[in-house]
Amino acid sequence: MTNRLTQLRVGDESFLVSSMIERCPKIMMLRELVRNALDAAATAPDGCRQVRLSQVLIDGVPKLAIWNSGRGMDADELFRMCDIASSIRKEHRLDQNFGMGAKVASLPSNRHGLRYRSCHAGVVHEVTLGWRDGVYGRLRRADDRGTMQDVTMVSADAMSRGHALDQDWTEVVLFGNSAAQDTVSDPYQGLPTMGPNWIVEELGYRFYRIENGISIWLDQHARLFEPLASRIPYDDSRHSSVTLPGDGMVLHYVYDAPSDTDAPRGGAGRDTLKPMPGTCGLIYRDELYDVLRQQHWLHAAPVFGVPFGAGSISVFIELPEWMDIVPDAYRQFLRHAGSNQGQVACRDFARVVHQHRPGWLIDIIENQSPSAKVSPDIYDDLDKLLRKLGVKRRRRVIPSAARSVATATREADPATQMGAACADTESPIERTAHGHLTTDHDPSSDDTFDTEPSPEILILRYPLEIDARGLLGRAGRYYPETHQLFLNATYPAVTEMRLLLEQEYAAEPDQQAVRRQSLYLAERSLAARVGRMLVFALSKQGKWPDHDIGQACSPEALSLVADDFIPSLSGARTSMQAILDLKRIVAEPA
């Protein structure tokens, strides 16, 4: 307070508290509770730093409990801890501690009660937060003398439940939204529904590394949780870490070879995530953000230089603490500290990930690429069309390590983002007409470098590859960042054209050749039609808005042109007849 300013206050405190709690993403609950437990456990003596997640029975119903060693709280500290923006023995900082995470994230799913017990100096006190009559607060209960209290002493009850009083500790028990709710298996009362391994997955895809010698035990010491950083060095995983010079950013590349068994690695008694599926995530202060898993990672992986094998390849981008970024209010995302405070995303670093892939990983990716090749004349035709339309060479922009945290991410719909990527002009990633990576060139040295080369065309035939690219029911998907066009060889138009050709040439004696050539011509026709459509879309740069260009390059637009295969039949028939005539000539005796 100064003589030049009157401090702002809260006019409706109850509304503000309820608003903050109700707006918090409930899925952050376990992270916040475990983060608090880890911070407290770090104050325990070496060798005694533990966090335990287990179940306790409340009136016969399983409730999730998070227990930690480390400095406990007395009655006054436990009372003050319950208030919003209140922290005990922690400094409030916008980039670290807000003083409201665990309470705010947990109360929407625990209106029936969120019980804290803490042992300090041999005495255990208890306070329970909850929601009654539209208000969040401390639930009062009678003490031994019948007086209603916010905080009560429960040392005897704690001892009867097996808790020792000769060391400090704190325990949080989640009562859920009703007395009958099992918060171990159903923490959010079905909204959302969680899988049987949800605790391990929530921890594993949030805490990349656990420091200070702290152990997290699940189910009363039965299983030791291991974070990803501890599991990566296993012998059956190949990995490399690349530290960027002068930057401090570390790129972690991991290949987990597919296994015939789902048995977890790491030995008996250890709880690990099952063989790690492909994953990508940002690491900041040992925690993971913007985690891309399963289909989200498979769809995005080509931008990171992983067009194939992404289901077994993981990439983690570790950001140094000095970067000008902060977690958002609920720690769900990272945001730029300046500019428009846009979210920091894995995709911001795709270029640097692509450029620093280790050689062994590139070999694995190439070994898993499809064998289907596109005829060189398709590329030649597309190159001619690009020159005719005057499509200027673009440098695909994916922010470099130096720029990525200084430039806010675009906030637009996918079509706008694709159109913007098509129009951007800064990145040294270039390809030849046949898709091979090249080194940087001086455009002034050769006129051909003024024209955009044709995209690399990759034809997919196997269901897993097609699903990974999001091409079920779609003919193609274009990745502007890497200038790659993936085509679905099982798309109905390909099948229909192949069958028509086979029927028309059913009288030919060499039916094996007919089937082989029908498939080849149908796939070739698909590549030609979709490739030309894409070239015409790219030629609209500077003439159409980014959103419209993105729509023209979308899988839906590419699929529509793929459907119109009838006009291509004439050329296919000519090629088929020429091939069969040549075979007959070769087969005739001299």
Side-chain angles (χ1 to χ4, degrees):
M1 184 76 69
T2 71
N3 59 1
R4 301 180 59 188
L5 177 112
T6 300
Q7 184 175 348
L8 298 179
R9 299 188 179 277
V10 177
D12 190 335
E13 185 175 336
S14 178
F15 170 79
L16 179 63
V17 170
S18 295
S19 175
M20 293 173 65
I21 292 172
E22 296 296 339
R23 291 165 59 191
C24 180
K26 62 174 69 174
I27 59 173
M28 299 305 296
M29 175 179 71
L30 189 64
R31 181 271 170 197
E32 295 295 336
L33 292 170
V34 172
R35 180 73 268 169
N36 280 0
L38 291 170
D39 291 343
T43 66
D46 289 343
C48 300
R49 297 173 178 175
Q50 293 187 10
V51 174
R52 297 203 301 262
L53 283 77
S54 61
Q55 74 171 29
V56 298
L57 295 178
I58 304 296
D59 296 329
V61 179
K63 305 290 185 180
L64 180 62
I66 298 98
W67 179 98
N68 63 262
S69 59
R71 170 70 158 85
M73 291 174 280
D74 60 26
D76 177 64
E77 291 171 329
L78 198 59
F79 178 88
R80 290 188 290 111
M81 177 276 304
C82 296
D83 288 328
I84 301 295
S86 175
S87 294
I88 304 301
R89 294 182 298 279
K90 291 183 181 180
E91 178 187 0
H92 282 164
R93 289 183 56 179
L94 291 178
D95 59 343
Q96 292 190 40
N97 177 54
F98 305 153
M100 63 182 185
K103 301 180 286 284
V104 169
S106 302
L107 280 170
S109 302
N110 293 278
R111 292 182 170 190
H112 186 61
L114 183 68
R115 190 186 75 187
Y116 285 83
R117 282 186 172 183
S118 194
C119 177
H120 179 62
V123 180
V124 181
H125 289 94
E126 173 185 299
V127 65
T128 302
L129 302 178
W131 181 86
R132 301 293 186 273
D133 301 322
V135 178
Y136 287 99
R138 303 174 186 84
L139 303 181
R140 311 193 79 191
R141 57 176 292 184
D143 61 14
D144 295 339
R145 295 172 296 180
T147 304
M148 300 299 292
Q149 301 283 356
D150 292 306
V151 180
T152 55
M153 187 173 68
V154 292
S155 301
D157 184 70
M159 289 184 64
S160 71
R161 296 177 182 272
H163 290 290
L165 305 187
D166 58 350
Q167 63 170 332
D168 279 16
W169 52 264
T170 300
E171 179 191 64
V172 186
V173 179
L174 283 58
F175 289 175
N177 285 331
S178 71
Q181 181 182 343
D182 177 354
T183 60
V184 177
S185 62
D186 186 17
Y188 304 116
Q189 212 169 22
L191 299 170
T193 300
M194 306 301 286
N197 210 31
W198 76 272
I199 292 176
V200 178
E201 292 193 354
E202 290 285 310
L203 295 177
Y205 288 106
R206 183 63 194 210
F207 297 100
Y208 179 82
R209 185 184 294 114
I210 296 175
E211 299 283 14
N212 302 316
I214 301 172
S215 300
I216 297 182
W217 290 92
L218 308 178
D219 298 336
Q220 302 281 7
H221 293 275
R223 297 179 293 170
L224 175 65
F225 167 75
E226 292 183 281
L228 289 171
S230 299
R231 299 194 302 107
I232 286 175
Y234 288 143
D235 291 339
D236 53 352
S237 294
R238 191 164 184 182
H239 64 281
S240 294
S241 295
V242 179
T243 301
L244 302 188
D247 189 295
M249 183 186 303
V250 182
L251 306 176
H252 304 278
Y253 299 89
V254 185
Y255 174 67
D256 239 2
S259 173
D260 294 332
T261 174
D262 288 333
R265 298 185 303 271
R270 289 177 175 264
D271 196 327
T272 67
L273 295 174
K274 292 182 179 181
M276 186 173 60
T279 308
C280 183
L282 299 174
I283 306 169
Y284 185 65
R285 289 181 172 155
D286 297 332
E287 294 192 38
L288 286 164
Y289 293 86
D290 191 36
V291 176
L292 304 177
R293 297 171 54 197
Q294 299 172 353
Q295 289 302 112
H296 296 290
W297 167 235
L298 295 178
H299 288 181
V303 179
F304 295 79
V306 187
F308 301 101
S312 301
I313 295 171
S314 296
V315 177
F316 301 103
I317 305 147
E318 188 158 8
L319 308 178
E321 292 190 15
W322 60 260
M323 281 189 167
D324 198 16
I325 54 180
V326 294
D328 76 325
Y330 299 112
R331 297 183 181 89
Q332 191 174 14
F333 310 105
L334 293 175
R335 292 190 179 277
H336 298 278
S339 187
N340 65 357
Q341 298 182 317
Q343 290 182 19
V344 183
C346 291
R347 206 174 181 110
D348 296 342
F349 304 88
R351 173 188 163 197
V352 75
V353 169
H354 189 293
Q355 289 179 322
H356 290 86
R357 294 172 303 165
W360 62 263
L361 182 61
I362 294 174
D363 291 341
I364 289 173
I365 294 169
E366 290 182 350
N367 289 337
Q368 297 193 30
S369 63
S371 58
K373 303 298 182 182
V374 176
S375 174
D377 64 315
I378 296 290
Y379 287 115
D380 291 340
D381 289 344
L382 294 179
D383 285 333
K384 291 176 182 176
L385 182 59
L386 285 159
R387 289 194 294 271
K388 178 181 178 181
L389 296 175
V391 181
K392 296 298 182 182
R393 171 177 290 264
R394 295 161 300 123
R395 294 194 160 206
R396 272 133 212 108
V397 59
I398 300 170
S400 66
R403 297 178 53 213
S404 55
V405 293
T407 305
T409 309
R410 297 180 186 271
E411 296 180 1
D413 61 58
T416 300
Q417 292 175 347
M418 178 177 287
C422 292
D424 282 325
T425 58
E426 294 186 28
S427 168
I429 300 176
E430 302 292 352
R431 293 184 178 273
T432 66
H434 302 290
H436 304 296
L437 288 176
T438 66
T439 56
D440 289 340
H441 294 283
D442 178 7
S444 64
S445 65
D446 191 334
D447 290 342
T448 61
F449 289 113
D450 289 335
T451 304
E452 179 73 279
S454 56
E456 179 182 10
I457 301 176
L458 300 161
I459 298 179
L460 308 179
R461 291 177 174 165
Y462 300 107
L464 289 179
E465 294 173 346
I466 292 166
D467 187 36
R469 297 286 79 79
L471 287 177
L472 294 177
R474 304 291 192 274
R477 181 179 294 274
Y478 174 59
Y479 286 83
E481 300 91 342
T482 55
H483 203 36
Q484 290 176 310
L485 175 61
F486 290 84
L487 297 178
N488 178 3
T490 68
Y491 190 65
V494 176
T495 304
E496 291 175 27
M497 184 172 181
R498 175 180 61 82
L499 292 176
L500 277 175
L501 290 172
E502 290 179 3
Q503 291 171 7
E504 290 185 17
Y505 291 89
E508 289 291 330
D510 190 349
Q511 282 299 297
Q512 183 178 359
V514 169
R515 287 191 294 272
R516 183 172 60 251
Q517 293 304 322
S518 295
L519 176 60
Y520 167 76
L521 292 171
E523 291 180 351
R524 184 184 184 283
S525 175
L526 173 72
R529 291 196 308 280
V530 176
R532 287 178 64 85
M533 167 69 178
L534 180 60
V535 167
F536 279 110
L538 296 178
S539 72
K540 301 303 180 184
Q541 294 161 30
K543 305 172 185 175
W544 289 4
D546 288 346
H547 176 273
D548 294 347
I549 295 176
Q551 292 284 8
C553 296
S554 69
E556 292 72 26
L558 299 180
S559 299
L560 292 178
V561 73
D563 288 334
D564 189 20
F565 69 89
I566 298 299
S568 303
L569 276 172
S570 177
R573 292 187 184 105
T574 301
S575 297
M576 175 72 85
Q577 193 63 56
I579 292 170
L580 295 176
D581 289 345
L582 179 61
K583 287 181 67 67
R584 278 192 290 268
I585 292 172
V586 171
E588 290 177 357

